[in-house]
Amino acid sequence: MKNFEYFNPVKISFGRGSVNSLGGFLKSEYSKVMLITGGGSVHKNGSYEKVMKNLAKREVVEFSGVEANPDFDTLMKAVELARKEKPDLLLALGGGSVIDGTKFIAGAVFFEEDDPWNILRKGLRIKSALPIVTVLTLPATGSEVNDGAVISRRKTEEKMVFKSPLVFPEFSIIDPDFTVTLPRRQLVNGIIDSFVHVCEQYLTVNTDAPLQYALSESILKTLVERSENILREPPDLDARGMLMWCSSNALNRYIGTGVVQDWTTHMIGHELTALAGMDHAATLAVLLPGVLKYKINEKLEMLVRYAGNVWGISGSDPLETVMQGIEATEKFFSELGAGVTLSEVAVDCSIIDRIVERFEKRRIILGENSDIYPEDVRKILESRCGK
Ligand code: NZQ
Ligand code: ZN
């Protein structure tokens, strides 16, 4: 196992009705709260009303309209508002996009020495941030328990990641009641995003970290075994809660300790979202099987373990076993209703040239062995064109 440091200060209140612990948690010095929401789902799932009730004795400034794949220009409007109103706390109410957007706002408010886009583009560090509390309504990204955010810029068709320990939420409410209104598409996204987060930390090279591998397999198996219940209508709130806890555990960085990670699927996926507007998880369903097949030899040992422990597939020929494991993954995504080729998601393969060109320009090399060059990205994408 590799050496590591692990830090995660996020306090969590989990379960039905846990939103009622919000008021009690908020420090008394947080007298002015800026509530940040998305496009209006919070008014349908009951969360807005309950959060406002918990904020009753505080001054509330609202910013709504953070879109899926939060846009830099929208967030800068919120930054302006926060600079003017000077809230003590940012409260994110929504899915990963609202939470990520809030993390960016929290840091950008104090970032006046340079263009805040350079927090993303050049990886400039934020030196301070407003405190954040989150109330999650869509289990998928794990943003409620981590220090990362992904921000899009429609004007330049870019999508970039930043990380800072200053944007860990202080507290996150994970209340399954708010998932009742989630459409099937977002539930499927949540299952797939969580699944792929685990895979990108687990399916690399063996660093002899059996505890992390067993935890990873448990998350994957729970997602597979409970997917039907998670998607059930009328909603099975125990199963929805299980998805919430799986997605948090998939990216609270715990299973990523002591192992080698490979975020190739995500990095290529962000380009598909930036250029073709695909949902984040939809990009992952197309790409993950392609990345695993392309690096089958390098990942062989862990893929054999994955095929056996997650899918119950074993045999005397490791390559054949592993291929069956990858095919089972693809079938799982398909049966959930996700497209697994570019043609299935109606994206033309002419997009590949633009993506490769971007990776060349940015000199990006991917993979746990730093051996996925832009030309390899081309081959991975070409293998996913479909008919
Ligand atoms: O905008 P509203 O009206 O709230 O509607 C949203 C949005 O349209 C809706 N929604 C959310 N909760 C709902 C609901 N609809 C009905 N009932 C509810 N309870 O769902 C739509 C999608 O929401 P969004 O927040 O965009 O989805 P998700 O949570 O999947 O977040 C995706 C974003 O997170 C980033 C992605 O790249 C993408 O930008 N990620 C963030 C990560 C992180 N911070 O660690 C890691 C991930 O890999 C990912 O990259
Ligand atoms: Zn993801």
Side-chain angles (χ1 to χ4, degrees):
M1 185 159 68
K2 279 161 52 95
N3 289 1
F4 64 85
E5 283 173 9
Y6 183 73
F7 172 68
N8 192 324
V10 186
K11 181 172 170 177
I12 291 165
S13 180
F14 173 89
R16 297 193 62 187
S18 57
V19 69
N20 298 323
S21 57
L22 176 63
F25 165 75
L26 293 178
K27 294 177 188 158
S28 55
E29 62 257 40
Y30 296 154
S31 58
K32 188 166 183 177
V33 177
M34 183 161 154
L35 176 67
I36 300 166
T37 58
S41 66
V42 296
H43 296 287
K44 296 186 191 121
N45 60 29
S47 60
Y48 178 85
E49 213 184 355
K50 290 197 171 142
V51 165
M52 286 306 271
K53 217 167 154 190
N54 274 270
L55 296 176
K57 292 189 190 111
R58 300 165 208 263
E59 188 181 347
V60 182
V61 180
E62 291 189 42
F63 185 89
S64 61
V66 175
E67 48 292 89
N69 304 307
D71 188 65
F72 174 74
D73 291 323
T74 305
L75 300 176
M76 285 310 292
K77 288 183 192 144
V79 169
E80 259 173 54
L81 183 66
R83 283 179 181 156
K84 183 168 151 256
E85 295 286 345
K86 301 194 176 14
D88 307 305
L89 172 80
L90 300 185
L91 201 164
L93 170 58
S97 293
V98 168
I99 299 174
D100 282 6
T102 301
K103 289 175 174 176
F104 176 76
I105 298 161
V109 164
F110 301 113
F111 193 83
E112 291 183 282
E113 65 272 27
D114 202 329
D115 176 358
W117 180 244
N118 286 331
I119 297 170
L120 296 134
R121 191 75 190 82
K122 293 187 185 164
L124 297 185
R125 281 178 183 227
I126 55 167
K127 297 191 188 86
S128 50
L130 282 165
I132 298 168
V133 163
T134 85
V135 177
L136 183 69
T137 65
L138 197 178
T141 63
S143 185
E144 70 283 1
V145 287
N146 71 38
D147 53 353
V150 191
I151 308 299
S152 296
R153 195 172 195 178
R154 293 189 176 44
K155 218 186 264 172
T156 50
E157 296 183 303
E158 288 172 287
K159 186 173 182 191
M160 308 234 145
V161 181
F162 88 97
K163 267 196 199 175
S164 166
L166 298 172
V167 301
F168 270 116
E170 269 189 23
F171 185 67
S172 284
I173 305 273
I174 304 180
D175 189 333
D177 282 355
F178 303 145
T179 65
V180 284
T181 50
L182 279 170
R184 187 184 165 97
R185 165 175 159 188
Q186 297 303 342
L187 289 165
V188 168
N189 282 347
I191 295 170
I192 291 175
D193 198 15
S194 309
F195 194 96
V196 178
H197 289 162
V198 174
C199 290
E200 299 223 82
Q201 297 166 89
Y202 158 67
L203 292 177
T204 59
V205 291
N206 185 358
T207 57
D208 194 21
L211 172 65
Q212 292 87 319
Y213 300 153
L215 288 171
S216 298
E217 287 154 3
S218 297
I219 298 171
L220 297 176
K221 281 199 291 189
T222 306
L223 291 168
V224 173
E225 288 165 10
R226 301 300 174 99
S227 60
E228 217 178 292
N229 301 31
I230 290 166
L231 296 171
R232 185 164 293 156
E233 292 291 352
D236 170 347
L237 290 176
D238 285 335
R240 300 270 170 106
M242 217 170 287
L243 171 62
M244 290 182 119
W245 195 227
C246 282
S247 65
S248 293
N249 278 278
L251 206 52
N252 62 6
R253 317 262 184 233
Y254 195 64
I255 59 166
T257 54
V259 304
V260 182
Q261 306 183 15
D262 170 19
W263 290 93
T264 301
T265 296
H266 268 71
M267 293 307 285
I268 306 175
H270 289 334
E271 299 307 317
L272 283 174
T273 300
L275 292 169
M278 285 174 68
D279 282 0
H280 170 62
T283 71
L284 309 177
V286 170
L287 290 165
L288 181 77
V291 172
L292 297 181
K293 282 181 196 164
Y294 192 72
K295 284 292 171 192
I296 201 162
N297 291 316
E298 290 80 352
K299 295 179 186 291
L300 193 68
E301 193 179 346
M302 291 307 293
L303 279 169
V304 168
R305 187 183 160 126
Y306 167 69
N309 291 354
V310 177
W311 298 108
I313 299 166
S314 58
S316 53
D317 180 347
L319 270 179
E320 200 180 297
T321 302
V322 159
M323 272 311 284
Q324 284 175 20
I326 300 173
E327 274 153 22
T329 313
E330 220 166 325
K331 188 162 170 263
F332 174 56
F333 293 164
S334 285
E335 283 175 357
L336 289 173
V340 293
T341 63
L342 287 171
S343 75
E344 279 176 19
V345 294
V347 171
D348 195 281
C349 270
S350 57
I351 202 170
I352 296 175
D353 283 340
R354 290 186 69 194
I355 295 176
V356 173
E357 199 180 297
R358 283 177 161 207
F359 281 124
E360 273 165 358
K361 250 195 206 140
R362 294 183 200 151
R363 297 170 191 273
I364 289 176
I365 302 165
L366 302 167
E368 66 267 33
N369 302 312
S370 298
D371 59 357
I372 300 183
Y373 292 87
E375 278 312 310
D376 299 296
V377 170
R378 179 188 298 286
K379 288 180 192 146
I380 290 166
L381 279 162
E382 281 172 354
S383 75
R384 305 312 291 168
C385 275
K387 282 173 209 136

